[in-house]
Structure formats: C-alpha cells, structure tokens
Amino acid sequence: MEWINHLQTELGDEIVFTDATTRLAYSFDATPNYQAMPDAVVAPRSTEDVQTILRLCHTHRVPVIPRGSATNLAGGTTPLAGGLVMDFRHMDQILEIDEKNLTVTVEPGCITGHLIEAVEARGLFYPPDPSSMKISTIGGNISENSGGLRGLKYGVTADYVLALEAVLPNGELLKTGGKLAKNVAGYDLTRLLVGSEGTLAVITKATLKLIPLPKTKRTMLAHFSDLDGAARTVSRIIESRIIPATLEFMDKKTIEVVEAYANIGLPTDVGALLLLEQDGPKEIVRRDIEAMHAICLAEGASLVEVARDELHAETLRYARRTALSALARLRPTTILEDATVPRSEIAEMVRRIEAIGRKYEIEIATFGHAGDGNLHPTVATDARDHEEMERVEAAFADIFAAALDLGGTITGEHGVGVMKAPYLEWKLGAAGIGVMKGIKLAFDPHGIMNPQKMFAKAAKKRLVQGGGV
C-alpha cells in the first residue's frame, strides 16, 4: 500500500511493522470474540513521530487505533476497520515528578503500577488503581477513564488529569490544562479527551495530580450469610458519613471460584463478602475501622476479620483482585462486564442479575465496587458455542436495561468500545448521540480515529424493565 511505503520511508522499519505475526498479535485485545487484522503496526518514539504518522493517515484516510497494553474489556482497541495500530511501548517514561506542585508528568505508555510505585517512594500518592494496574498504561487509563478499588474515596482517573498533550487527526499539536488548581479558560478540553477512547485524538503526554501518601491503612473482611446484609452494610457505612478507601463485594459464586483458585482460606459457605479498607491519619483510621466493624456485625455479619499486619491485609486484597483470573479458569471464554447502579440498589441489581442468569440458563458470578455501585457480572462461556453466546449477549442486554431501570448506567469504568456501542443510546438518548457525533466530526472530519467504536452501531431495541426481570 502506498501509505505504508510512505510511513516506512519517513520513520523506518524499527517503527513500522507489516509482518503477519506482528499484525496478528495486534488484531485483538482482552475482549472475547472481537478480532480483525490491522494493515500495519507502528511504535512511535516521540510526539513528532506521532504527528508524522497522523498527518500521513489523515491524507490517505487510514484508520488509526491507539493502543496501550490492550487490557480493554469492551473491544475498544480492536482494529475493526483495518488500518494502523499505534503502540506506545517506547513512549513509557515518567518525565517529571514535581514535588512543589504535587504533579507527575508521564508518557502514555507508562505502566500504571510503575507510576504508583515511583511516586509512593517520594511519599506521594496517585490513587486510581484499576485491577490491571500492573500491566495497563496511563494512556489507556485516560482513554477509558479507568476506576479501581479506591474509586469510592478518591475518584477515578479523570479526577487526577490536570493537563494533556495530544495530537489531532491532522497532525496538529493540542495542549490542554496545566499545573493549575483553577482553570476555566474556554471549554474543558482536558475532560473531553478523558474517556474519549481514542476517537478524538492521540494522547502523547499527561500531567497528573498527586496527593500526600496516607500515613496509615487498615483492612478487614466481613462475612455475610446473605446478599441483603452486605448491601445494608454498604448503605449504613455511607449514611454514617464514613467514606472507606475500599469497599468491595464478592458474591457466593465468585468466592467459591476464587478460593478454589487461590486457596487462601476464604469461607465458601457464605452468601457474600465485603472487603473494607480505610486510610489516613492513625486515629481516624482506628475510629472508622471500629465503626465499620460494629456496623457489619449489626447488619448480620457472621464474622469480621481485621488484618493482623500488612502481609495479612495483602492476602485479603488479593482475594478480590484475583477474581477475574479465577473465573477465567472455568471455561475457554470469560466475559467480564460492568454496570453501575446507585448504592441503595446493589442488592436489587444482584437479584436481577441472578434472575437473568436463570432466564437464559447461564451462570453469572458478580463482584465489584460496592461502595460506588459498580458491579462486574461475569460469565464463563465458550465462544465456539454460538447458541450459548447468543444467550449470553441477550443476558447482558437485559443486565444493562436493568441497571438503567434502577437509575444506573451501562458502564462505570470499562468504556463503550464496540461491545456496548449498541446500548449507548439507551443511556444518552438520540439527542446525546447527536451531540457526540458533532464533537467527533469537529475533531475528526475524516473519521479515521478508532472507527466503528462508541456510537458507530445502531441502537438495539430496549425492553422496558418493570419491578423485576
């Protein structure tokens, strides 16, 4: 292809790859059942390289799919229209830790866990902690507006992005925000790019907010015989004006699978577990842990296990963080989704998920961030069984409809990508989709940025939910 020859001439074979093996490796992400071959893969080493690539792609109308570590769970980094996958493995540096302004500036390929370790070594704290943080990149986190276990207390990625450097589809450089506590000059383009899933521009640098590292942290695990007791506990804790650093939930099926996988002593005869953590000044942490301990017992917890030390605490956290890995062992294909409801509706949402599983004759395990209502219904299936996959897809459509019926949304942190594109209009309505398409057109008039994602599919017909499913 002419455009590939031009790229190779401009950038060289160390940046541009067209061999079949490399292209195959970049034809899919962590989302089951979505795969397409790109025409080429590029691994830029600088912002200038990215500008060169986008200018050429803009001229030749070549699709561009920015990609980090491909932990995406909505098909957002699959090259469905062919074109060019842009990999940021060479642009992975921490450029500056600014202790005077409490900021860190990084390239998009920087691994989230590496960033967290680097700033904590300075006594500083970057709170967003997606479960994939040991391999996911900051650029990917920004593109998806990733959350994590600490989201209840500390918020999500968008709450920490102060400034961005990005390259527009025509190769022009855009700089937004700054190391500022206040900035209302014009539209907030920084927030617009966060969560845009690579559909508007390519992020090449990010300045992130840091906060002081909490002095103390304590962890505990509460056992409940039924789901309602766990849900009541979540509501009571928040009503008591306690905002835990972590408030996580696992249902019975998830507990059983995690224990079989990790063998760490989890009880398999309970209906639900809550993982609770608090951090901050020592006296406040002690007070909040004691208060949450009492609330758990008052709401029917059969046992509340407070971590003896950091090693014990890490074991308790591991139980939650390993949920997806454990479930992935059950069948050849694992589909992990996310839907968010108000905290007060968690128990009802899990009941509806269980009913949907019975309706479609599939087994659904549910875990997630109980503190912010973000649940992860997960199905172990087999993509080769087309009849079962149809039932799984129908079940997730019902789950999204149930979440909306309860005042929630179709995704809390995984993004829309291609997987949820048919359902986005259920949440935003036709007017919202129209506004998004107008923004997309302004940034990307030729439609080269991550095509066939977000709102590219026609909306599915939504069944109106009633008091149950």
Side-chain angles (χ1 to χ4, degrees), residues 162-378:
L162 294 174
L164 293 173
E165 176 188 272
V167 180
L168 296 173
N170 64 2
E172 291 183 6
L173 195 63
L174 174 69
K175 295 185 178 182
T176 74
K179 297 179 181 179
L180 306 166
K182 296 179 179 179
N183 181 7
V184 293
Y187 295 147
D188 192 343
L189 298 178
T190 305
R191 297 286 289 214
L192 179 59
L193 290 176
V194 176
S196 62
E197 302 188 27
T199 63
L200 301 180
V202 175
I203 294 166
T204 52
K205 192 182 297 181
T207 298
L208 310 170
K209 179 174 70 174
L210 303 175
I211 61 176
L213 185 67
K215 291 183 170 62
T216 309
K217 179 165 64 176
R218 293 192 69 187
T219 306
M220 63 184 181
L221 193 70
H223 306 194
F224 293 87
S225 60
D226 60 66
L227 171 69
D228 287 316
R232 288 195 307 270
T233 299
V234 172
S235 296
R236 277 281 308 279
I237 287 170
I238 305 303
E239 287 171 4
S240 300
R241 307 298 189 266
I242 300 170
I243 305 298
T246 298
L247 185 46
E248 295 289 301
F249 160 83
M250 290 192 293
D251 73 354
K252 182 176 179 61
K253 178 62 178 176
T254 306
I255 297 164
E256 292 171 350
V257 174
V258 168
E259 179 57 21
Y261 170 69
N263 193 27
I264 55 178
L266 293 181
T268 55
D269 58 347
V270 298
L273 289 177
L274 287 181
L275 173 70
L276 306 98
E277 285 190 323
Q278 185 57 296
D279 61 10
K282 185 175 181 179
E283 181 56 31
I284 292 176
V285 171
R286 181 198 62 77
R287 182 197 68 196
D288 286 352
I289 287 289
E290 288 179 356
M292 290 191 292
H293 188 288
I295 290 170
C296 289
L297 293 176
E299 294 299 337
S302 57
L303 176 67
V304 182
E305 183 181 8
V306 181
R308 299 179 299 274
D309 50 34
E310 178 55 27
L311 181 62
H312 187 201
E314 185 55 37
T315 300
L316 299 180
R317 292 184 210 112
Y318 178 74
R320 165 60 184 87
R321 289 193 183 276
T322 197
L324 176 57
S325 298
L327 290 163
R329 297 171 68 242
L330 298 180
R331 301 279 301 278
T333 306
T334 305
I335 301 179
L336 169 68
E337 271 297 355
D338 80 315
T340 302
V341 295
R343 282 186 289 262
S344 59
E345 301 291 354
I346 288 174
E348 175 61 18
M349 184 63 193
V350 175
R351 277 193 290 268
R352 293 198 187 192
I353 291 171
E354 291 173 346
I356 290 167
R358 291 191 295 271
K359 174 182 175 182
Y360 291 100
E361 299 180 341
I362 57 175
E363 195 162 36
I364 306 176
T366 303
F367 60 94
H369 316 302
D372 54 27
N374 184 199
L375 299 177
H376 295 310
T378 304

